[in-house]
Structure formats: C-alpha cells, structure tokens
Amino acid sequence: MSARDRILDGCDLETFIVCDAVEEGKSLGLRLMAELGFDDADVVFCEMGGPGVRIRLRGYVYRPAAEYRWYDQEADSIE
Amino acid sequence: MNEPKKVLLAPLDPVHDVGLKLIRKKLMDRGHEAVLLPPDLTPEEIVSRALEEKPDFIMVSRALSYGTSELLAKFVDLCDAAGLRPRTKLVVGGLSMRPEMAQELGFDAGFGPDAPAEAAVDYVEGKEIVSIVGTRPRSKVDLTQGYTYEFSDKEIGDLCIQAAKQLLDWAEERTSPGIRRAQLRLEMEEARSKGRSEDVDNLRAEYAKICSGEVKQWYQTGEPVSHTRPLTRKELKEIELLSEKKDHMQFPVSQDILNDYNVFIQYGTGCPEMDAYHSIVSIAWGARGVVHFDPSWGARTEGLLEQAWSHEHDGTVITLDNLNLIKKALLPGTLWQVRAHRGLNTPETVVLAHLAGADLTKINMVYGSLGAGTDPERLVVDGVESMKLAARYNLPYDVVTNEELCGVPAAKAFAGMLVVATAGVLLGGRPFLQPLFAHSPEAIIAGTMDDNFIDFNVAKMKVLSSIIDAPIWPGAPVGFLTQSQDRCQSSVMTALHAALALDSGAIAVTIASSDEAYAGGPITVPARIDTLKATAAALRFFGKGGISPTAEVDKMACDLRNDILDVLNKLVARGDFVASLYEGILGDREDGAYPGRAGRGTVTLKKV
C-alpha cells in the first residue's frame, strides 16, 4: 500500500533551503517535491532571508472531487 | 513636479479594495488623476472602462485564491487584444503578489504586501523601484544604559547589601583550580599572540595538570573527548564563505519590527558551522542577539579544550577557536552572549568571552549550585572571580533564576538573584536580573497560573522593578513549560510570553524555537524562524495597546515582595551565604534544590 494514499488532502513540507535567490529556492523546493514523488506540488510561501529561503511546499494528493483512495487498501493497513 | 498621470484603479476582486483606496489618496496627494472602479467587475468590464478613460496606468488588485493566476493572465490578454498597450502600463498588487509573479503573468509591475503605497506612486512617476528589503541594526546597543542599580525598596536593599558584602568577604580569602585556569588561559593567549611558543607549552602543561576527565586526557594524549571531532578544512572554509556572503544578504522586511526590540535566541547545535548558519538565519529573521549554549558535561569537567570541535550532542564546545568561528556569522549590530554561569569553568569562560569579543555573559552561583550540579562553595568562589573579570572587561551579565524550574519558589530564587546581582554591582559590574517567565512548578502546584499566564509573570516584573532600578531580561527562554511539540501552539506561547515580558518593562527577552518541547534531536532552522515570525506578529498585534493583568496581580506582587523579605532576613541572620546554599535557605530538597557535588573540596584558602 502507499501511505501517501491515506493523506486526507495534501502534505506540507516546510524547510530552509540554502540558496542565493528566492527563485532558486522555489525551483529547488519544487525539485525536492518531485524527488519525493509529489506530482501536484506548489510553493505556498517562500521568503528569502540570510543564506537562503524559508519555504513551505505543498504536495496535493487529492484535490476536492478527486478519486480518494483512503479506504481502498484496508487489508494492507499498518499494523 | 512630475507630469500628472491618469491612473485607473480596478479591484479585480469581489470585495477588497482598501489597498487601491490608499493608493488613490497618495496619487491625488501628488497631483495625479485617479479613477477608482467599484469591486466585482469582470475583466471585460474593466477593459471596457479603460478604453473610455484612456489611462496611463491600470492598477488592479486581487487577493489570491483559486484560479487567480488564470484570471489575471486573462486580464492581460484582454488588454493586449483591446490595444491598450503599450500606451497603458499594467500593474498588479495584492496580499500574495510578488514582483516576479507579476512579471510571469505579463504585467509591467507588481507589488506585494510589504510594498508601501508610495512605491506604486513612485512607479507611476517613473522612479526606479527599489526592491523592498529589510534592514538589521548595524550598531550595538548597551542594554544596561540608564539603569542606576539603586534600591527603591530600602528594606530589601539593605539586606541584599549586607548579604552581598558577606559573600564577597568570604570569597576574597579563597581560590580554586577554575580561577587558576582562567589566569593561565589569559597568559597562554597573550604568549600565543606574541609568538612565545615555549611559554605557551609551559603554561599549557601547567593548565593540563589541573584539568579532569577526558579534557585532561586530550591535553596529555591528544585523544578527542567522546562524541567530538575536529572541524574539517572544508567546514572551516565554508564558515569563511558564509562570513564573506553575510554583508550581501537580504533580510525579510516583514521582520523589521523586531529591530525595535531586543530578542535573543540560543544556539548550540554542537557544530560551529551549523551554529553559524542558525545564527545568521535567526538574525535575518530579526534576532537582535544570540546566546552560546555549551554542552552540560563542560560544566562538570575541570578545564576547557582548545581548537575547533564539532560535538554530536546538544551544546557547542566552548573554545576560543569555536567562538571565533561562530562570530564570523554575526552582524556588527548583533549582541552576543557567551554563558559562563553554572560550572567548573566559569571564570575561564568569562575570559574567553572577552577574548572572542562577546558583548554579554551569564554568571549565577545560586542556580548553578542548586540546580545544575556544581558545589556551592566552589561556584561562589568562582562566581565572584567571574564577576570581577566581567567588570574588568566591561561585560554585562545576567543572573538567571532557573532554579525555579527545579521547583524553588520565586521568592527564594529572587532573593538569591538579588544578592548575587548586588555583589556584582559592588564589584563594579552591570548585571541583568533574569527572572523565569514561565509556567513554573511553584505556580503549577500553588495554582497561581490556573486562570492565566499573565498575572504571576507580571507580578514578578512589578516586584523586581519596585525593588531596584536594574535591567530585567526574562528567560531563558521565556514560556518554559507552556510549549508543546506542536509548532503552532509552541510558537504562539513563545510569542505571547515575549510580548508580555516586553510590555511589562523587560529590556530584552530570550525566546525558544518551536522545537522547545521536542527532545528527539537538534533544533531545526525552520523551528527558529517559527517563533521569530510569531513574536514579530504578536508585537505587531499588541503595539502600544498593552496587556492588562487582572486585579490579582497586586496581591501576588505584594505577597512575593514579603516572601523575598522573609528569605533575605533568614539569609542575613544566618550570616553565611554559602552555608545558606547548603542548608536550603535559598531552596531546599523539598523544593527540588540539591546542592551540587562537582568541584566539591577543591576550594582552598589563598596563600598569604
């Protein structure tokens, strides 16, 4: 089973990325989300300060009206 | 006077148009013509009005939500199709707008929430748009300036002076290995700076003899202390790079409000390079000062290491090299505290703080001996020497009352703090009073904070400021035992405590990160930014509005003052400050205070 399927809607990842400009930080943030397997990702907030950006990234697993899979794999539920 | 321009202001939003109303006023004040359209028009209706009005600029505002980007892009396409451009420039502004986003959407300019209305008017007048960035103070402030250290409460003042004189007289006749090492360190660094290597070797050998445990082993065999390793060349180079970059760094303008306050954070990840990053990030987000947090074993081992070390666990090893590395990340206006307060290396740490160029230190013999494991006799002897050194080096220091965290009532903790601070003043120093500003065990048991976290904390501030004219710097950090592992809850609690302390007359506060209650690993940088952002927001919220305690506060303050008086009377009647520490007058076993054992039996009488 995919634990990600059990996420209710979206997964936020907030971190600090070392970079020289806000655009670089956003680009790196979106790359990070892609590396983590979030295809539907966005930058919620990004603020440059000091040696990088404080960034909040959002990976949507289900947008409203999507096909939810929360209950599809009950047999595989984590013990 | 610039040529007057015509500006069409269009809220591309169902409701919000306050930003445009403000810009309209500024435009008209500067002689421009401004036409404000009503909210909730479609892009087509706005374009239709633009074709009638023939403006030089169209400024649309929009609070971002679902589909906003598409809506704004459509508006730009419609303007292009209607032939409005290039005669008419398109500008967008809004709470979530950023200049680069405006550019991506096809606008000529964009203004976000940090841009003042004047920036939009400047753009209309063809002035260069300077990017809106924050600033941080470039010069240091003396947080003790203006305080007289005179007692307003003469009854308490007289008792504090009597007790302080007794402890100073007692300490005057005694010395310790910690005091000797501080002298040796000074001599070693002087010899090193003058290239007298033979002298350095001799002094180092003498120093090693009066060290203990793994520190002694390192001096004798070179074997590193457990869980430490030397910093690599690469790490040293990276700190240099960070230092070179810091003068060109941006600071979030949203945090500029903290420039008006003195908010400190504590660093001590274990690694000087990580500390350098944590420090500069915290400074970027508005920290005015940073506090060096050392490993707990450093307080219980005789002697300090040399060279640059990384430590795998909590706390960064104090060496002159480590301090000098971390300093590279600080700005000229950053206040830097190197804590010396609680252990067997207190005097030497004051020496290192001075040599590294720190602005502040921390000295407390009561908490260190009742709550942090150091023998009272040893810490009083070392503490007095440390206060002498701090006075000589012009280093202000705080006198903390963290013994309250063990369960010692505030009255006992404050009596001890006041006596130690008085001794410091008698030695020519400039101490801060550092009351705990938290949900203390005493308050939990007595129920004094059952209704709110305001009254008892404000009562503490009122009592101290009514006793003596001294700077008060609560912590460290504020909000102890009110934070949870939830970062939102933790940040709110920290921010409210910081705002309350500053509103109650504190000259500075030390705040935690939102990881304060998390014990599973090191604090992260986002957790530091969490509480700095929250504190800035809280200070913006309260402004000069203030926070009002309930009527209970006066009774609490009165009771606390009387209890402090009782403790001081007992202390003076006993006539022996050190004996009072052992005997529980400033906190006994039932309170949770246990006289420490580290360094017991090491104090000797000075040779005449």
Side-chain angles (χ1 to χ4, degrees), chain B residues 29-60:
Chain B
D29 287 348
R30 291 210 214 166
H32 301 289
E33 184 183 352
V35 179
L36 178 64
L37 299 182
D40 212 18
L41 296 181
T42 64
E44 289 83 356
E45 287 172 313
I46 295 170
V47 170
S48 174
R49 286 295 303 271
L51 288 168
E52 291 169 21
E53 298 284 349
K54 296 185 173 45
D56 300 299
F57 295 86
I58 302 174
M59 290 190 171
V60 296

Side-chain angles (χ1 to χ4, degrees), chain B residues 390-407:
Chain B
R392 186 189 309 164
Y393 300 143
N394 201 20
L395 267 177
Y397 50 90
D398 73 73
V399 182
V400 73
T401 56
N402 277 4
E403 62 267 36
E404 269 196 77
L405 282 180
C406 309

Side-chain angles (χ1 to χ4, degrees), chain A residues 14-16 20 22-23 26 45 47-51 54, chain B residues 98 100 245 249-250 252 254 281 284-285 487 529-530 533:
Chain A
E14 186 155 324
T15 189
F16 191 92
D20 291 323
V22 71
E23 285 307 311
K26 284 196 283 187
F45 177 80
E47 189 169 48
M48 184 81 203
R54 178 203 197 211
Chain B
R98 293 185 298 272
E100 63 275 8
K245 281 185 175 181
M249 286 177 176
Q250 282 184 32
S254 60
V281 169
W285 264 269
R487 57 199 291 260
I529 299 175
D530 281 348
K533 291 284 284 190

Side-chain angles (χ1 to χ4, degrees), chain B residues 267 272 292 307 316-328 330 336-338 349 352-354 356 358:
Chain B
Y267 69 81
H292 185 100
Q307 303 171 10
T316 301
V317 177
I318 288 185
T319 67
L320 190 53
D321 285 3
N322 272 2
L323 293 175
N324 283 333
L325 286 169
I326 293 161
K327 189 186 179 185
K328 289 177 189 289
L330 311 183
W336 186 27
Q337 183 185 42
V338 175
T349 307
L352 292 180
H354 161 66

Side-chain angles (χ1 to χ4, degrees), chain B residues 220-240:
Chain B
Q220 291 176 337
T221 68
E223 188 177 332
V225 168
S226 304
H227 308 295
T228 67
R229 65 160 175 82
L231 252 63
T232 63
R233 282 178 190 276
K234 182 171 175 285
E235 287 165 333
L236 295 171
K237 195 176 169 189
E238 282 167 349
I239 296 174
E240 286 297 335

